[in-house]
Amino acid sequence: ETGVTQTPRHLVMGMTNKKSLKCEQHLGHNAMYWYKQSAKKPLELMFVYNFKEQTENNSVPSRFSPECPNSSHLFLHLHTLQPEDSALYLCASSRGQEAFFGQGTRLTVV
Amino acid sequence: DAKTTQPNSMESNEEEPVHLPCNHSTISGTDYIHWYRQLPSQGPEYVIHGLTSNVNNRMASLAIAEDRKSSTLILHRATLRDAAVYYCILRDRDSGAGSYQLTFGKGTKLSVIP
């Protein structure tokens, strides 16, 4: 248990659906992140939030829309996804020289 | 971020020490060496980090070469729970003020044989 909680753990959605992934931490960390882990590929950083402000967007398509309403919560809104977007989506938070990851949401787009 | 090179896979017998190597010949003076591991069906987990001196914690030891172009993560006594993918990552001390971005490679998949 890392203190970073992601829901849901598994999600199956159609290409025309809209869904949201949620991440929550009560560790007092001010930085939060979304990573994507596709099969056979290294983890890729998607978005970085620092004190609720987005500081990094690694050329992520607009069908992925992050939201950070406060330092404890991070969302990833999904719409009109493609089958190749199927992956493990990981949230992390950090303070100092250590990041804490959630267990991820396994997303399948059909 | 500077690049690291790790073997794709390694095997170890249970209860024996494991030495996981990492080469980072282009490391800069401000790069910290971080190690994370990812157990099956879980997110990555912090293991240890260091700059120049060897480091020990409850999980592992990190041995850093004098020229800092390589490092070794040492698990003193492998257990079945240590079977995971181990990532060696360089992170510039001065990058991403206030945040902590990590660039993951493919890592080393460690198998532990009972």
Side-chain angles (χ1 to χ4, degrees):
Chain A
E1 183 58 55
T2 64
V4 179
T5 304
Q6 290 187 243
T7 54
R9 292 291 310 278
H10 300 272
L11 177 63
V12 179
M13 61 184 289
M15 290 188 284
T16 59
N17 291 160
K18 289 184 180 181
K19 297 286 184 183
S20 295
L21 310 184
K22 180 182 177 182
C23 177
E24 185 172 357
Q25 57 91 10
H26 297 287
L27 301 169
H29 296 169
N30 294 313
M32 295 187 75
Y33 314 80
W34 281 114
Y35 284 84
K36 175 184 177 182
Q37 188 170 33
S38 304
K40 311 289 186 187
K41 290 176 71 174
L43 279 89
E44 303 169 78
L45 179 65
M46 300 175 72
F47 301 103
V48 180
Y49 276 82
N50 199 13
F51 290 96
K52 301 188 298 176
E53 298 298 319
Q54 189 181 120
T55 57
E56 187 87 18
N57 175 340
N58 271 354
S59 304
V60 180
S62 59
R63 59 185 183 270
F64 295 91
S65 175
E67 179 190 2
C68 188
N70 55 60
S71 291
S72 298
H73 294 86
L74 185 64
F75 295 89
L76 188 62
H77 303 298
L78 316 170
H79 63 97
T80 59
L81 294 192
Q82 305 298 311
E84 58 264 30
D85 296 322
S86 299
L88 180 67
Y89 289 85
L90 290 155
C91 172
S93 69
S94 72
R95 185 171 64 186
Q97 293 279 350
E98 186 174 345
F100 295 78
F101 285 80
Q103 292 192 296
T105 295
R106 174 70 62 187
L107 174 68
T108 303
V109 181
V110 297
Chain B
D1 292 322
K3 188 180 166 77
T4 63
T5 304
Q6 299 177 255
N8 289 333
S9 62
M10 289 183 66
E11 273 188 357
S12 172
N13 293 320
E14 195 177 8
E15 299 191 8
E16 290 188 358
V18 183
H19 291 236
L20 296 161
C22 181
N23 287 320
H24 29 78
S25 58
T26 60
I27 192 170
S28 75
T30 54
D31 284 332
Y32 276 87
I33 302 160
H34 295 254
W35 283 83
Y36 279 74
R37 71 180 185 180
Q38 187 172 18
L39 279 64
S41 302
Q42 295 192 29
E45 171 187 34
Y46 169 85
V47 177
I48 201 166
H49 78 277
L51 184 63
T52 55
S53 304
N54 294 344
V55 185
N56 300 298
N57 67 18
R58 62 174 179 81
M59 286 182 70
S61 295
L62 176 60
I64 302 172
E66 198 168 329
D67 63 4
R68 299 212 323 127
K69 293 183 184 299
S70 65
S71 60
T72 302
L73 180 71
I74 302 166
L75 306 179
H76 295 287
R77 199 164 154 268
T79 69
L80 296 178
R81 273 208 73 248
D82 292 320
V85 178
Y86 287 79
Y87 300 98
C88 170
I89 302 167
L90 300 184
R91 180 179 177 269
D92 191 330
R93 176 190 65 195
D94 299 325
S95 72
S99 67
Y100 175 90
Q101 300 174 35
L102 297 169
T103 302
F104 287 82
K106 294 184 179 179
T108 296
K109 184 174 182 179
L110 175 67
S111 301
V112 179
I113 302 167

